[in-house]
């Protein structure tokens, strides 16, 4: 018997990250921010408003309908 371990394809792993960062760069641009806190706030705002709006806020497992 031969045991095979699952080895994920690096191209598939990178595709999701590359897609996310491409959309991020397109939406908020690549200009320099005055400080790290401003950059972080803009990235978090992007994630909350654009990226997470595809996910439902209510989840049946948590008792929300």
């Amino acid at each position: 018997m031969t045991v095979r371990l699952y080895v994920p394809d690096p191209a598939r792993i990178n595709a999701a990250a590359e897609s996310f960062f491409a959309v991020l760069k397109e939406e908020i641009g690549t200009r320099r921010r005055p400080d790290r806190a401003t950059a972080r706030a803009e990235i978090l705002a992007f994630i909350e408003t654009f990226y997470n709006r595809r996910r439902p806020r209510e989840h049946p497992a948590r008792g929300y309908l």
Side-chain angles (χ1 to χ4, degrees), residues 3-63:
V3 177
R4 294 185 180 195
L5 298 175
Y6 173 73
V7 179
D9 183 17
R12 291 183 187 186
I13 293 171
N14 289 336
E18 288 178 13
S19 175
F20 171 79
F21 285 112
V23 172
L24 177 66
K25 285 181 183 178
E26 185 177 314
E27 291 293 320
I28 68 169
T30 57
R31 65 180 169 78
R32 291 202 177 254
R33 302 325 190 258
D35 57 7
R36 179 176 229 137
T38 303
R40 181 180 170 94
E42 286 187 26
I43 291 171
L44 291 176
F46 164 76
I47 291 171
E48 287 299 318
T49 58
F50 178 81
Y51 200 70
N52 280 344
R53 78 174 165 207
R54 293 185 220 161
R55 295 175 47 203
R57 299 265 182 226
E58 295 84 23
H59 195 278
R62 294 185 180 163

